[in-house]
Every structure is written in C-alpha cells, then in structure tokens.
C-alpha cells in the first residue's frame, strides 16, 4: 500500500504542476494505467479487427500475473522422485540440451543489453531511415508527408519537396 500512496503523491504533484491538462483525476489515472494499452489495441484493431476493452485490461493486468504464477509453480515443483522439474525437462541430459537452452536465453539477453547500451550497433538492421520516421513516408510507398509535419522545424526543404511531388520532372 505504500507504493500506491507514493504513486498518488507523485500524481498529485503532476496534477498541481499542470492543472489545465489534468483538471480531474480521471484523465490522469487513464494516462497512467490505460493509455498505452489502449493505443496498442487501436493499432492492432486496424490489422486484426475489433478488440474489446476487456482484452486490453486482461493483457496488461491479468495475464502477466497468471503467467508469473505458472512459472513459479513450475520452478518449485518436483517429480515423484524428488527431482526438480525445472531444469530437468523430459529427462534430457544436461549436456548438450540443457546447457544450450540456457545459453540461448543468455545470448538473447546479451543482445538486448548490447542494444540498450549501444543502439547504433543495430543501425544497419533497420530498413527505415530518419526521414521515413519523421515524415511518415519513404521511397516506393507512394505516401506523402502530412501538412502538419511540414513546417519551420521540418528537415524537408522546398526544393526536396517539389522534386518528390514531381514538379521538376522533365
């Protein structure tokens, strides 16, 4: 309960700093607890169809806890012989099967840490460039940047824009 109290303490500070943005507690609680999962639901709905609000709630607040409990149950359980189930899958020998499984997990975690510490190492693996991310279009897509993205801070100058619109074609 102490952490819930701390959360509301800091939320009240945020609410006091910007009362125009957060006139009541309802939008602030929504921002903290549901905005990100609701945005994911809306993004996925364009591809997979309608997803109910209960799906978003379950994905964020229920399923992770159930998976954690199932993992804890597996980790502490043992066979009839008293041998722990975790780490002794199907009676396979430790070498090479168990060790390679653990090394695969360690390797994946290492890739994550390297990407977190030095993200530029993975620059060559992306197909998108900065212009595509900023302006929402790229070569071959046929999409054009929206007017709200063009402005004084835009990296797309008038000459480059007119060339892409086909105005300078011969």
């Amino acid at each position: 309960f102490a952490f819930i109290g701390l959360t509301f303490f800091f939320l009240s500070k945020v609410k006091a700093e910007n009362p125009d943005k957060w006139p009541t507690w309802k939008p602030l609680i929504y921002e903290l607890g549901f905005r990100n999962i609701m945005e994911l639901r809306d993004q996925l709905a364009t591809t997979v169809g309608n997803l109910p609000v209960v799906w978003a709630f379950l994905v964020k607040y229920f399923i992770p806890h159930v998976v954690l409990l199932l993992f804890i149950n597996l980790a502490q359980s043992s066979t009839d012989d008293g041998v722990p189930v975790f780490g002794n899958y199907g009676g396979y020998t430790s070498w090479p099967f168990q060790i390679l499984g653990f090394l695969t997990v360690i390797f994946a975690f290492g890739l994550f840490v390297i990407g977190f510490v030095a993200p530029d190492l993975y620059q060559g693996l992306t197909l998108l460039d900065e212009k595509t991310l900023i302006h929402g279009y790229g070569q071959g897509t046929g999409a054009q940047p929206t007017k709200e993205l063009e402005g004084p801070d835009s990296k797309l100058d008038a000459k480059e824009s007119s060339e892409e619109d086909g105005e300078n074609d011969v």
Side-chain angles (χ1 to χ4, degrees):
F1 292 111
F3 291 110
I4 294 173
L6 276 173
T7 301
F8 277 100
F9 171 74
F10 288 116
L11 285 177
S12 65
K13 289 183 94 171
V14 168
K15 189 174 179 304
E17 289 174 3
N18 198 348
D20 295 333
K21 185 175 181 182
W22 312 110
T24 64
W25 282 95
K26 187 176 180 178
L28 193 58
I29 298 297
Y30 178 83
E31 178 78 18
L32 178 68
F34 289 101
R35 185 185 56 82
N36 60 349
I37 193 67
M38 296 309 244
E39 285 179 359
L40 175 66
R41 181 186 78 115
D42 294 341
Q43 288 175 353
L44 291 176
T46 61
T47 306
V48 299
N50 187 29
L51 293 170
V53 174
V54 71
W55 174 88
F57 179 81
L58 290 173
V59 165
K60 185 164 184 174
Y61 292 109
F62 183 74
I63 294 172
H65 302 301
V66 171
V67 170
L68 181 63
L69 287 173
L70 290 173
F71 176 75
I72 290 170
N73 184 39
L74 170 70
Q76 72 166 354
S77 63
S78 59
T79 63
D80 293 335
D81 299 333
V83 177
V85 174
F86 187 70
N88 294 306
Y89 301 111
Y92 289 113
T93 59
S94 291
W95 177 257
F97 303 110
Q98 301 294 327
I99 303 300
L100 289 176
F102 288 125
L103 288 177
T104 303
V105 171
I106 291 169
F107 177 72
F109 182 72
L111 288 175
F112 170 76
V113 170
I114 290 170
F116 188 73
V117 173
D120 291 338
L121 290 175
Y122 296 132
Q123 183 89 22
L125 298 176
T126 182
L127 298 175
L128 300 175
D129 60 356
E130 186 178 338
K131 184 190 276 186
T132 304
L133 295 173
I134 292 172
H135 298 290
Y137 72 100
Q139 291 183 343
T141 62
Q144 294 296 319
T146 59
K147 294 297 180 194
E148 63 206 31
L149 292 175
E150 295 177 352
D153 295 326
S154 176
K155 292 184 180 180
L156 188 64
D157 63 3
K159 180 181 177 192
E160 197 175 344
S161 178
S162 65
E163 288 174 0
E164 290 176 0
D165 290 341
E167 295 173 1
N168 293 340
D169 292 343
V170 178

